[in-house]
Amino acid sequence: MTVTVKKRKFQQNEDANDVQATVSDFGQRYHCDTCNKDITYVVRIKCATCADFDLCVECFASGAEVRTHKKDHPYRVLEMLDYPIFEPDWGADEELLLVEGLELHGVGNWEQISELIGTKNKQECADHYDRVYVQSPDFPYPAPASQPTNHEIAGFMPGRREFELEFDNEAEQNVKDMEFNEDDSKEEIELKCTMLNIYNTTLARRAERKKFIFDRNLIDFKRIQSIEKKRPKEEKEVFQKMRVFAKMMTAQDFDVYVDGLLNEMRLRQRIAQLQEYRRMGITALRDTAEYDRERVTRVRILIKPPGSTASRISGVSASASPAPGGLSYASRSTSSSVYASGSGGAGAAGALRKSAAPLDIENMDGIDLLSENERHLCSSLRIFPRAYIAIKDTLLKEYAAKGFLKRRQARQLIKIDVNKTGRIFNFFIEMGWISSSGGPGSGTAAGAAGQ
């Protein structure tokens, strides 16, 4: 069954005789269709299926069924003044709350009015007010009232175009109790006039600030916020620094002034870019695109970890298994760094972030279980030896079980930084402990796990 309960809106100290007199004035009375008891002034149950069918609480609780009415029909719990006056879906109590909300919050503040009523949303309140009270030929237009602070800018009242907190908001405190008396001395009159002049100066400053806000349409906060989000970081910094000069110019002059500064900044950036091309020996604009592509390529090679595809292309040896007498992992990493620093150029090296210092693991627990290459790996990746041993054991067990191990599987098993996981995965492949393709190799993995 569907139940709709409306709360009674009478005041607690309201006299019962006044309530009955109010209901009698409307001339509506209700009787229980089962026991024929008068239920005009008490809570009654109205059937939502049967037409004009009401029950008292006692008959409803006993499950009374009369004629076509059944006890499982949906119903509504109605109290006094729940009957309609102007429209069938608006009760008298809701009409009273609507008028009370208009008095408290003002016309147009439908969100707060709907919260006061409790059973209607803001759109229903606005439509009902327009149909019944504004468009009705029987009622006059309501007296205009000041709009409350229902604006996205806190404290701004759009109806009065004022703010709750004005500039020097306490200025009225000094003159609110001032009086000019006949027995005032000349000094007292001069003091009071001076205080009034100070207050008038404050009012003039308030007017200047409001004029500044309204002339530049600063109350349209959403528009200004969307424009600020679209500006690059450099332009935002220029606007923040130059904003102090806005009050000395008109809105148009300030926009022209800032646009000039932004054009100057762009010209300086372009000049610096052309000077860099000249230092690199580029004298034609058609060659700049190729230079930019090569510079991006060099930066990518520098930031690739040892053993990656880019390192192999750059000439770094990265074989699947270390050859006898060949370079160790640490030596290959050093060679890759030397090669990158020798061929990357100053522009590419400047684009790199400064790498973190290696971790000192000489006195840490588990260092004696690692080889020299593994110690260098843990130090460069800043991983504790015991944590590395656990990672190694997990990866090698997975490889021994499946016969192969993909990089994606390694990242799923090891919940650390994906770049560190990739470095460890590449190291295991170079050492020949695992393979990314299926095939024999479990014995190698088992041997590595025992190291």
Side-chain angles (χ1 to χ4, degrees):
M1 292 186 292
T2 303
V3 181
T4 303
V5 180
K6 293 186 177 182
K7 296 182 179 180
R8 183 174 180 177
K9 304 300 180 181
F10 289 107
Q11 301 296 331
Q12 294 182 356
N13 57 356
E14 189 173 6
D15 187 43
N17 296 327
D18 295 337
V19 175
Q20 294 183 3
T22 302
V23 177
S24 300
D25 291 341
F26 287 97
Q28 299 194 29
R29 303 183 67 85
Y30 299 92
H31 295 80
C32 176
D33 289 307
T34 301
C35 63
N36 203 29
K37 183 174 65 175
D38 188 2
I39 53 176
T40 304
Y41 311 123
V42 297
V43 177
R44 70 181 189 277
I45 309 300
K46 183 176 182 61
C47 180
T49 302
C50 304
D52 194 19
F53 190 89
D54 301 287
L55 292 174
C56 63
V57 176
E58 292 78 10
C59 294
F60 172 79
S62 62
E65 295 182 350
V66 180
R67 298 188 298 274
T68 59
H69 174 72
K70 302 298 180 183
K71 60 183 179 181
D72 59 347
H73 282 182
Y75 61 93
R76 295 180 60 191
V77 180
L78 301 180
E79 299 185 39
M80 296 189 325
L81 294 184
D82 279 345
Y83 46 82
I85 299 178
F86 304 115
E87 293 184 345
D89 56 342
W90 276 76
D93 54 347
E94 295 171 330
E95 299 285 355
L96 293 174
L97 287 174
L98 176 63
V99 175
E100 181 182 352
L102 292 171
E103 293 176 352
L104 290 175
H105 304 291
V107 178
N109 202 7
W110 304 115
E111 185 70 31
Q112 284 78 2
I113 294 174
S114 64
E115 292 178 358
L116 178 65
I117 296 175
T119 57
K120 304 293 182 183
N121 58 40
K122 60 180 182 180
Q123 188 61 41
E124 292 174 341
C125 295
D127 295 342
H128 178 73
Y129 176 76
D130 183 71
R131 289 191 308 268
V132 176
Y133 295 92
V134 177
Q135 304 298 336
S136 174
D138 301 327
F139 294 92
Y141 285 97
S146 172
Q147 289 287 342
T149 56
N150 56 345
H151 197 267
E152 59 264 18
I153 299 179
F156 177 64
M157 296 178 285
R160 300 178 60 178
R161 294 177 69 83
E162 293 180 354
F163 297 88
E164 284 187 346
L165 295 178
E166 298 283 355
F167 167 73
D168 197 359
N169 198 56
E170 304 297 329
E172 286 77 10
Q173 298 295 327
N174 298 324
V175 297
K176 65 183 181 65
D177 297 325
M178 182 182 298
E179 294 181 358
F180 285 87
N181 302 318
E182 295 180 357
D183 55 347
D184 288 343
S185 64
K186 182 178 179 181
E187 291 78 8
E188 291 177 343
I189 294 176
E190 290 180 355
L191 176 60
K192 293 179 180 180
C193 290
T194 303
M195 294 178 65
L196 288 177
N197 290 333
I198 295 173
Y199 177 65
N200 290 332
T201 303
T202 302
L203 294 180
R205 291 179 178 177
R206 286 182 185 175
E208 290 176 0
R209 282 162 171 76
K210 288 183 181 179
K211 185 176 183 299
F212 180 86
I213 293 173
F214 296 141
D215 289 348
R216 288 163 172 78
N217 197 23
L218 298 182
I219 57 176
D220 193 355
F221 180 74
K222 293 182 179 179
R223 179 185 64 84
I224 297 175
Q225 193 176 37
S226 62
I227 294 175
E228 289 289 338
K229 289 181 180 179
K230 295 178 182 178
R231 287 193 181 119
K233 181 180 178 181
E234 296 80 4
E235 294 187 7
K236 289 182 180 179
E237 293 178 355
V238 173
F239 270 93
Q240 290 292 340
K241 294 178 180 179
M242 296 298 109
R243 192 170 285 176
V244 66
F245 300 107
K247 62 181 179 181
M248 305 177 185
M249 312 176 188
T250 63
Q252 184 178 2
D253 291 343
F254 180 73
D255 292 339
V256 173
Y257 173 67
V258 174
D259 289 341
L261 293 177
L262 294 178
N263 290 333
E264 179 188 359
M265 181 185 67
R266 299 187 190 101
L267 288 175
R268 289 180 180 272
Q269 292 175 350
R270 182 59 176 169
I271 291 172
Q273 186 180 28
L274 294 176
Q275 289 176 345
E276 181 185 359
Y277 291 151
R278 181 61 61 89
R279 286 195 303 268
M280 296 301 170
I282 300 175
T283 57
L285 288 177
R286 61 177 177 271
D287 298 331
T288 58
E290 182 179 359
Y291 168 76
D292 290 336
R293 288 194 299 269
E294 292 181 356
R295 183 175 60 178
V296 172
T297 303
R298 290 196 300 270
V299 173
R300 289 178 178 175
I301 292 175
L302 287 174
I303 63 178
K304 284 289 184 180
S308 62
T309 305
S311 298
R312 296 191 187 97
I313 296 176
S314 63
V316 180
S317 174
S319 58
S321 59
L327 291 175
S328 66
Y329 178 80
S331 301
R332 287 196 298 273
S333 302
T334 306
S335 301
S336 176
S337 302
V338 172
Y339 169 79
S341 62
S343 61
L352 293 177
R353 294 183 302 173
K354 184 177 179 181
S355 58
L359 181 66
D360 185 10
I361 61 174
E362 292 300 327
N363 298 321
M364 291 187 177
D365 184 28
I367 187 66
D368 54 334
L369 300 177
L370 304 182
S371 64
E372 187 64 28
N373 292 341
E374 290 177 315
R375 293 180 184 181
H376 183 272
L377 178 66
C378 292
S379 178
S380 61
L381 296 182
R382 301 182 63 83
I383 298 178
F384 294 155
R386 283 296 181 186
Y388 167 77
I389 292 173
I391 294 173
K392 177 181 177 181
D393 183 64
T394 302
L395 294 180
L396 294 183
K397 283 183 178 179
E398 182 70 14
Y399 176 73
K402 295 185 177 180
F404 67 94
L405 185 64
K406 299 291 185 181
R407 186 185 301 271
R408 177 174 54 83
Q409 297 172 342
R411 290 176 177 175
Q412 293 175 350
L413 293 172
I414 308 302
K415 302 300 183 180
I416 61 174
D417 183 77
V418 293
N419 296 323
K420 293 184 179 181
T421 305
R423 293 278 298 276
I424 296 174
F425 183 82
N426 293 336
F427 175 75
F428 283 9
I429 291 182
E430 292 173 5
M431 299 301 294
W433 295 344
I434 63 175
S435 174
S436 58
S437 59
S442 59
T444 305
Q451 291 184 1

